[in-house]
Amino acid sequence: MQGREDSATAPGFATRAVRTGHHRTHEAEHSEPIFATSSYVFASAAEAAARFAGEQAGNIYSRFTNPTVAAFEERLAALENGERCVATASGMSAILAVCMGLLQAGDQIVASRSLFGSTTMLFNKYLARFGITTRYVTLGDLAAWDAAIEPRTRLLFCETPSNPLTEMVDIRQLAELARRRGCLLAVDNCFCTPALQRPLELGADLVIHSATKYLDGQGRCVGGAVVGDRQRVGEEIHGVLRTAGPTMSPFNAWIFLKGLETLELRMLAHARAAADLAAWLLAQPAVERVHYPGLPDHPHHHLIGTQQRTGGGILAFEMRGGQAAAWRLIDATRWLSITANLGDTKTTITHPATTTHGRLTPQERATAGIGDGLVRIAVGLEDIADIQTDLARGLGPAPTD
Ligand SMILES: *Cc1c(COP(=O)(O)O)cnc(C)c1O
């Protein structure tokens, strides 16, 4: 952050979200510039040599570093309260870079059973090929995490709340377990963002983001990030990215920088609307069960207000009548977006069993708790009454023919 005066106190979250990472160029631009350049010129052959040798700091090539991407990294690190952030081409490449940077053949991951579909796929199909195995446990069952850890376990991996069931784990307790057993804890913080939850402050070692979701906030770009300490993130994980290449484009970094500026406002509005919608769905006879951390009957409701500021913007619910009822509901909506994305100003509705989790085997889906009647809604910023009206079209009794 560039300030005119020294401040005795660190800037607050909202200030960091708007200002951190912007170091104006000599053009004195007010908005962050987009450095659309693949490479950088040196003043002399000696300077080029010094840069390549690592003796002089500075940009060389945009696969290694780029000032717009660096601004995004600095800002997100400040919001997550981490030492370093590296931006990636997508959320999945952030997870891949963590695994490639920190693990080797023979290592084991212990992960929560309820993960984003592609994460499970990455672990089971691709990492397994390179000798990295994964054991799965129930997210909130700390005794199961403890029992699953073996001497070769190096990484504990979870999402909290999970996608799409909004299961949670006590991050403090899981981080304590990781430390005691000599493992690292990585938390995919996609659902909460640092506006609602900061896993590093609770003891996690690494935070992973799909910037595609709430950090962008308007469904424009695909991107990701890893935040953590200087050595692991700045050296080991960044090393994978600069060598293998799944880095963030400067244009996308600029979009995400703008997204971060309104992150807290949006997250609080999404969460307010989701809490209203959860209560409303609970009262619908066609709905069997609602999964939302803000509801008092959620098994981890006690973590709201301590670990996580609010229940967040995403909920899932089970329709009586399985897939037919879920599809009927989705198809009856007129303007809710039928899309797998989430974290958008536009409300999105998804049938996880046949989309995000469709590539899992029926057995894998069953263990992940993804039922055929499950519907996920990522609540946007429209008027809540209109969202309810659109959903009500498909919540009545099924037409008989
Ligand atoms: C979307 C998502 C990812 C993957 O991010 P991409 O940007 O799509 O690669 C990972 N974790 C969670 C929880 C997600 O929702």
Side-chain angles (χ1 to χ4, degrees):
M1 198 171 125
Q2 272 181 339
R4 277 191 306 277
E5 56 218 78
D6 287 324
S7 165
T9 54
F13 187 91
T15 309
R16 280 176 276 150
V18 172
R19 293 194 173 268
T20 300
H22 186 193
H23 308 284
R24 285 186 194 127
T25 72
H26 66 275
E27 301 296 344
E29 75 287 347
H30 197 201
S31 175
E32 296 76 358
I34 303 177
F35 283 84
T37 181
S38 54
S39 57
Y40 305 84
V41 291
F42 311 107
S44 64
E47 187 180 89
R51 289 263 179 97
F52 273 84
E55 289 154 8
Q56 185 195 79
N59 298 300
I60 296 173
Y61 186 58
S62 280
R63 171 153 46 79
F64 306 170
T65 54
N66 173 282
T68 312
V69 175
F72 166 75
E73 293 169 336
E74 196 184 327
R75 188 169 295 177
L76 185 58
L79 296 181
E80 286 286 6
N81 215 351
E83 283 177 3
R84 270 297 306 270
C85 168
V86 291
T88 58
S90 67
M92 288 317 303
S93 50
I95 298 172
L96 178 67
V98 165
C99 295
M100 287 193 68
L102 302 178
L103 304 178
Q104 59 183 30
D107 285 348
Q108 185 177 69
I109 302 169
V110 175
S112 131
R113 205 164 268 133
S114 44
L115 288 181
F116 185 67
S118 293
T119 307
T120 307
M121 197 74 161
L122 174 69
F123 291 173
N124 292 352
K125 184 167 176 190
Y126 297 102
L127 291 187
R129 261 193 215 161
F130 297 90
I132 297 165
T133 52
T134 307
R135 280 184 73 173
Y136 294 95
V137 296
T138 300
L139 177 62
D141 186 348
L142 285 156
W145 285 93
D146 199 11
I149 295 172
E150 297 173 25
R152 64 203 177 100
T153 306
R154 176 119 175 84
L155 180 69
L156 309 187
F157 188 99
C158 71
E159 296 168 20
T160 177
S162 69
N163 180 20
L165 291 174
T166 75
E167 295 163 279
M168 292 165 72
V169 68
D170 188 323
I171 296 174
R172 261 192 206 92
Q173 289 179 2
L174 192 57
E176 211 273 311
L177 174 67
R179 194 157 310 115
R180 186 156 45 79
R181 301 294 305 270
C183 310
L184 298 171
L185 172 62
V187 177
D188 181 332
N189 201 25
C190 175
F191 269 36
C192 276
T193 82
L196 302 186
Q197 169 175 281
R198 291 185 284 281
L200 300 177
E201 293 177 1
L202 303 168
D205 300 287
L206 297 162
V207 164
I208 289 163
H209 274 289
S210 167
T212 316
K213 315 294 168 55
Y214 288 113
L215 302 192
D216 175 330
Q218 296 181 49
R220 297 163 291 193
C221 295
V222 174
V226 184
V227 192
D229 65 277
R230 198 163 284 120
Q231 170 60 31
R232 283 191 198 97
V233 175
E235 301 293 329
E236 292 162 50
I237 297 169
H238 183 238
V240 171
L241 292 165
R242 71 174 267 164
T243 307
T247 47
M248 183 180 282
S249 87
F251 178 75
N252 289 7
W254 185 82
I255 297 281
F256 296 134
L257 272 166
K258 294 289 126 190
L260 289 179
E261 293 180 10
T262 56
L263 180 66
E264 189 177 29
L265 289 175
R266 286 185 286 108
M267 290 312 293
L268 294 177
H270 285 299
R272 260 195 314 277
D276 281 357
L277 193 64
W280 181 81
L281 284 166
L282 216 47
Q284 305 300 317
V287 173
E288 194 169 340
R289 188 162 168 212
V290 180
H291 305 269
Y292 182 64
L295 290 175
D297 72 340
H298 189 284
H300 285 98
H301 182 66
H302 60 279
L303 292 175
I304 301 302
T306 51
Q307 165 165 310
Q308 176 179 325
R309 197 165 156 193
T310 71
I314 293 157
L315 53 82
F317 54 99
E318 284 158 35
M319 292 292 290
R320 292 183 204 284
Q323 178 173 326
W327 278 29
R328 191 170 72 81
L329 169 73
I330 292 169
D331 289 340
T333 60
R334 290 189 194 154
W335 57 264
L336 292 191
S337 308
I338 306 172
T339 171
N341 195 29
L342 59 91
D344 199 299
T345 52
K346 302 178 177 77
T347 297
T348 65
I349 187 164
T350 314
H351 184 242
T354 52
T355 60
T356 53
H357 293 67
R359 283 188 301 168
L360 303 185
T361 64
Q363 176 56 37
E364 284 170 328
R365 257 198 310 279
T367 35
I370 312 296
D372 290 339
L374 192 75
V375 175
R376 185 194 73 191
I377 292 187
V379 186
L381 299 179
E382 307 96 335
D383 290 294
I384 185 76
D386 294 324
I387 298 170
Q388 289 166 352
T389 303
D390 209 29
L391 284 171
R393 295 182 223 281
L395 284 172
T400 47
D401 45 15

